[in-house]
Amino acid sequence: MDLPRPARHRPDLTLVPRPGRLSPRPGRFRLDATTRLRVAPGAEQAADLLRGYLTPATGLRLEHAEDGTFVLALDPALTGLGEEGYGLTVAAHGVLLRAARPTGLLRGVQTVRQLLPPEALTAPTGRDTGPYGSGPYDTGSTGSAPYAVPPHRVELPGVEITDVPAHPWRGMLLDVARHFQPVSYLHRFVDLLALHKLNVLQLHLTDDQGWRMPVEAYPRLTGTGGRRAQSMVGPAGSTRFDGRAHGGAYTRAELAGLVAHAAARGVTVVPEISVPGHVRSALAAYPELGNAPDRRLDVWTEWGVCPTVLGVGDHVLDFFRTVLDEVMDLFPAPYVHLGGDEVPTGEWESSPAAIARAAREGLSGPRELHGWFMARMADHVAGAGRRPVAWAEDGATLPLSCTVMSWRTPEHAWAAARRGHDVIHADHRRTYFDYARASGPEEPAAQPGHTTDLRSVYGVDLLPPPDEPGLAGRVLGVQGQLWTEFVPTPAHIEYLTYPRLCALAERAWTASGDWRDFRDRLDGHGARLTALGVPHDALPARTAPAPA
């Protein structure tokens, strides 16, 4: 049966997202110094994850024993659970977590975390948690500090759960191009996604205002493109600037470590390298990539849509094929995002080289070079055995090899599905978390235009038009977006992300919706966010957004 309405009276069962089937059972299982895990072959990763979460907070080592009462097991015969589903039974005498695939066990571990006392989500008192709050990746300890939750209070409520996600793509985009974030924070960001059973982090690594991905063949991409002289204050069109340089770039080792950290939690990091627009940082580093090769540009200091775009010569295609080869070498994700949105064509329309290229390719004019360029990049990604992803800028046709991420309107998603594309919903009115959570002067700076409150996010609709039910098979899922023009700090990121991400996670995981039931559970779930130091209610004065 579905999670019962009286969940507000059982805070230990206020799970987010809601499991497909949940039945309370009598009794509680206590984890203590005698508790052992029975780890079946193939369940080692899940056992390591569970220990990594619990040991810092409780001191429990949870070692393996063949007669352990907490069992983690793989059973390929459980075909109904698919890739990510799991079954969890908690009784007074033991715990059984089962799945058909290892990823399902990782999802079950997150449910176990939510069933524990909220204090078990924190590190021990006195542990060096760093500037971004506590988490299982934190290191350092006073040695004698008490644990966040004493072992005699670590209990799981009796319950039986069978849980399978409704959609395979449950994502969140973080823009680190506009405002760079340290890799230590990205680890925390991933942990919070995993807690809510999101399985994709799309990392927006390049844009007009900064290039964060190291490319060994082209070191100036980060050396020059990774730093801008200042940042606009206010929305696009403002005449105010902060006068302070902003920059940063990741090393290959840092990104590889992030990929491994995410994979251990069942999260895939999907890189985004934007072409042929949103490339001012690349043009600042390598002017020969542009439509006016002799022109010298700076890394853009403004917000909005930059008019500069890539040129369309063979050397430009070869350059970005090399870039993508290095991206695919570092990121093993089956998907690579190519951007493709907001591409002004003015430079092409006034460029003799672009006009000639369009004619040679049999195009009706330079405007069609957008689709032509995307097809060249998509072919390269597909030829490497990966799946290209692109933004649906409008109703225009993208290469059929592309998975389409529709952000302007859901109608573009369904138009793409009719053409044969897989689609991911990213409606800006429902999933863009850079818009303010609410109206009012007390809200921190946000993208102008409208507010996106919790109910709006919960209202994201993944169902096809009633007369075209077959299109549902083209829907991979949904993704939230946090663009960071106005979001310079981790605290501001988390204020804008939570609790709205909880609503997104619910709709991505659960086929049917019940707003009132979700709100009841979210009230209880807030204790977990508080324990993790997530400012989900109000932005503390000490973490108010600072200038870039």
Side-chain angles (χ1 to χ4, degrees):
M1 65 179 181
D2 289 339
L3 187 69
R5 271 294 173 84
R8 66 173 62 195
H9 305 299
R10 290 286 306 273
D12 52 0
L13 295 182
T14 54
L15 303 179
V16 176
R18 182 181 66 179
R21 295 179 61 86
L22 182 152
S23 300
R25 292 173 59 117
R28 304 179 72 81
F29 178 81
R30 175 171 294 176
L31 292 93
D32 57 29
T34 68
T35 304
R36 299 291 182 268
L37 302 181
R38 191 193 319 165
V39 183
E44 295 85 1
Q45 183 182 4
D48 289 344
L49 183 63
L50 182 63
R51 293 185 187 107
Y53 283 133
L54 282 180
T55 300
T58 67
L60 298 175
R61 298 186 62 84
L62 303 177
E63 295 174 344
H64 171 80
E66 289 301 321
D67 60 350
T69 54
F70 195 129
V71 180
L72 296 92
L74 282 179
D75 184 353
L78 299 172
T79 55
L81 296 178
E83 182 70 25
E84 297 184 83
Y86 65 93
L88 175 65
T89 302
V90 179
H93 60 276
V95 176
L96 173 60
L97 174 59
R98 297 193 302 164
R101 305 287 296 166
T103 305
L105 293 178
L106 300 179
R107 305 290 175 247
V109 166
Q110 299 299 338
T111 296
V112 170
R113 289 186 73 204
Q114 291 199 23
L115 290 171
L116 288 162
E119 311 93 88
L121 298 174
T122 65
T125 304
R127 180 174 285 276
D128 178 13
T129 58
Y132 311 119
S134 61
Y137 53 86
D138 295 322
T139 59
S141 171
T142 63
S144 59
Y147 289 102
V149 52
H152 66 275
R153 287 173 44 203
V154 185
E155 292 184 336
L156 294 169
V159 72
E160 186 157 357
I161 292 173
T162 302
D163 205 8
V164 180
H167 299 97
W169 187 295
R170 305 179 306 282
M172 183 69 202
L173 175 147
L174 182 60
D175 169 13
V176 294
R178 271 58 174 262
H179 278 103
F180 178 79
Q181 301 299 330
V183 74
S184 59
Y185 179 67
L186 299 186
H187 282 229
R188 171 173 165 87
F189 195 80
V190 164
D191 278 307
L192 291 170
L193 298 187
L195 178 68
H196 295 89
K197 298 186 176 68
L198 269 67
N199 64 350
V200 174
L201 168 61
Q202 181 173 323
L203 208 54
H204 185 74
L205 289 162
T206 70
D207 215 296
D208 296 310
Q209 299 84 2
W211 186 290
R212 313 301 178 200
M213 161 78 194
V215 179
E216 291 182 357
Y218 305 117
R220 295 206 303 271
L221 285 172
T222 51
T224 298
R227 182 178 177 86
R228 63 178 180 267
Q230 58 183 353
S231 302
M232 179 175 279
V233 176
S238 169
T239 58
R240 296 175 56 218
F241 292 84
D242 63 10
R244 288 194 294 274
H246 178 85
Y250 302 107
T251 67
R252 288 181 64 87
E254 285 177 328
L255 291 174
L258 175 65
V259 167
H261 180 87
R265 287 146 181 79
V267 176
T268 299
V269 182
V270 172
E272 181 183 357
I273 304 295
S274 294
V275 293
H278 288 285
V279 290
R280 178 68 168 262
S281 59
L283 295 176
Y286 294 93
E288 63 271 23
L289 299 175
N291 291 280
D294 295 332
R295 177 180 55 183
R296 294 298 177 262
L297 298 168
D298 56 2
V299 177
W300 216 36
T301 58
E302 301 179 31
W303 311 134
V305 179
C306 184
T308 54
V309 299
L310 292 174
V312 292
D314 288 344
H315 66 290
V316 179
L317 299 176
D318 290 341
F319 184 101
F320 278 91
R321 288 180 182 120
T322 298
V323 169
L324 290 172
D325 285 342
E326 291 202 26
V327 169
M328 290 186 285
D329 180 61
L330 187 56
F331 293 92
Y335 293 90
V336 175
H337 205 299
L338 299 172
D341 62 317
E342 297 178 327
V343 180
T345 59
E347 287 194 344
W348 290 338
E349 292 173 60
S350 61
S351 164
I355 294 170
R357 184 89 205 208
R360 287 200 307 273
E361 299 296 335
L363 306 177
S364 64
R367 287 179 177 269
E368 290 193 18
L369 288 168
H370 177 198
W372 172 86
F373 195 104
M374 293 300 293
R376 305 287 83 71
M377 295 298 101
D379 287 348
H380 187 71
V381 169
R386 308 293 182 90
R387 304 174 199 172
V389 187
W391 297 106
E393 169 63 12
D394 51 28
T397 301
L398 285 165
L400 277 178
S401 61
C402 283
T403 293
V404 168
M405 198 168 275
S406 175
W407 67 278
R408 283 197 183 274
T409 170
E411 284 72 22
H412 291 165
W414 301 125
R418 292 183 193 102
R419 292 194 296 268
H421 294 277
D422 288 339
V423 298
I424 299 161
H425 284 271
D427 179 359
H428 71 285
R429 293 166 297 183
R430 304 283 187 180
T431 70
Y432 273 35
F433 295 169
D434 47 316
Y435 289 111
R437 293 184 356 178
S439 59
E442 70 282 359
E443 284 293 306
Q447 193 74 249
H450 62 264
T451 60
T452 302
D453 61 15
L454 187 68
R455 185 67 183 263
S456 295
V457 177
Y458 191 83
V460 65
D461 187 4
L462 305 185
L463 296 177
D467 58 340
E468 297 179 284
L471 295 182
R474 288 290 180 184
V475 178
L476 295 184
V478 63
Q479 180 169 286
Q481 280 63 233
L482 185 58
W483 308 104
T484 59
E485 291 97 326
F486 307 97
V487 192
T489 66
H492 196 176
I493 286 172
E494 293 191 358
Y495 174 77
L496 289 174
T497 303
Y498 296 93
R500 292 188 290 188
L501 180 137
C502 302
L504 184 84
E506 176 95 357
R507 297 315 310 273
W509 185 270
T510 307
S512 59
D514 185 330
W515 166 251
R516 183 177 172 188
D517 178 57
F518 167 70
R519 287 298 290 117
D520 287 348
R521 283 178 287 111
L522 187 61
D523 289 342
H525 186 63
R528 301 183 188 102
L529 297 179
T530 298
L532 286 163
V534 177
H536 58 99
D537 292 324
L539 187 65
R542 60 182 173 82
T543 59

